[in-house]
């Protein structure tokens, strides 16, 4: 089992920044890919970004490319999502997830999920 806890969500004005963190515990070991997804009411969960264990395989959704940056601090089993130039359409609950495939970008590729953190961007 791997437990994931997100933090760093909140309310920010459009154009502002937030930094989300995902802390892993339990069966933490090398090899986990960590992905960020987001979801708004009535919509499917949407892929945002992912990084493999080494940090050399990184993907971003087109909607966040150039604005968001994912990074990981492996000694601390933590992955960060720096979100800049936020837009109202970025408002969602953000989830981090752990999976084994380096190029995992679908939610069914991930075995473990955090409880989510709310990000609200006001216009």
């Amino acid at each position: 089992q791997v437990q994931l806890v997100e933090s760093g969500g909140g309310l920010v004005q459009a154009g502002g920044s937030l930094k989300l963190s995902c802390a892993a515990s339990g069966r933490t070991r090398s090899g986990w890919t960590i992905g960020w997804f987001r979801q708004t009411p009535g919509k499917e969960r949407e892929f945002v970004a992912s990084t493999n264990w080494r940090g050399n395989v990184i993907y971003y959704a087109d909607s966040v490319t150039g604005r968001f940056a994912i990074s990981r601090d492996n000694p601390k089993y933590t992955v960060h999502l720096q979100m800049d130039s936020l837009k109202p359409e970025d408002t969602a609950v953000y989830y981090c997830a752990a999976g084994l495939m380096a190029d995992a970008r679908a939610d069914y590729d991930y075995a473990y999920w955090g409880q989510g953190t709310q990000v609200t961007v006001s216009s």
Side-chain angles (χ1 to χ4, degrees), residues 12-16 38 63 67-68 84-91 94 119-123:
V12 65
Q13 289 187 335
R38 63 188 183 187
S63 58
R67 301 188 298 120
F68 291 11
D84 298 323
S85 302
L86 283 162
K87 305 175 181 180
E89 51 263 44
D90 294 318
T91 296
Y94 284 70
V119 171
T120 302
V121 184
S122 63
S123 58

Side-chain angles (χ1 to χ4, degrees), residues 27-110:
R27 290 184 59 188
T28 52
R29 59 174 177 82
S30 61
W32 289 111
T33 289
I34 299 295
W36 285 96
F37 290 76
R38 63 188 183 187
Q39 189 170 26
T40 55
K43 293 187 177 181
E44 293 186 354
R45 196 154 44 189
E46 174 190 22
F47 171 79
V48 176
S50 66
T51 175
N52 69 332
W53 176 256
R54 293 184 178 181
N56 62 339
V57 180
I58 292 175
Y59 293 99
Y60 294 101
D62 289 343
S63 58
V64 306
T65 297
R67 301 188 298 120
F68 291 11
I70 190 170
S71 63
R72 60 191 308 159
D73 183 350
N74 285 341
K76 296 182 179 180
Y77 299 107
T78 300
V79 173
H80 303 288
L81 184 67
Q82 177 67 43
M83 306 187 297
D84 298 323
S85 302
L86 283 162
K87 305 175 181 180
E89 51 263 44
D90 294 318
T91 296
V93 177
Y94 284 70
Y95 300 89
C96 68
L100 292 176
M101 296 174 58
D103 62 347
R105 280 168 283 179
D107 56 2
Y108 52 75
D109 289 330
Y110 291 86

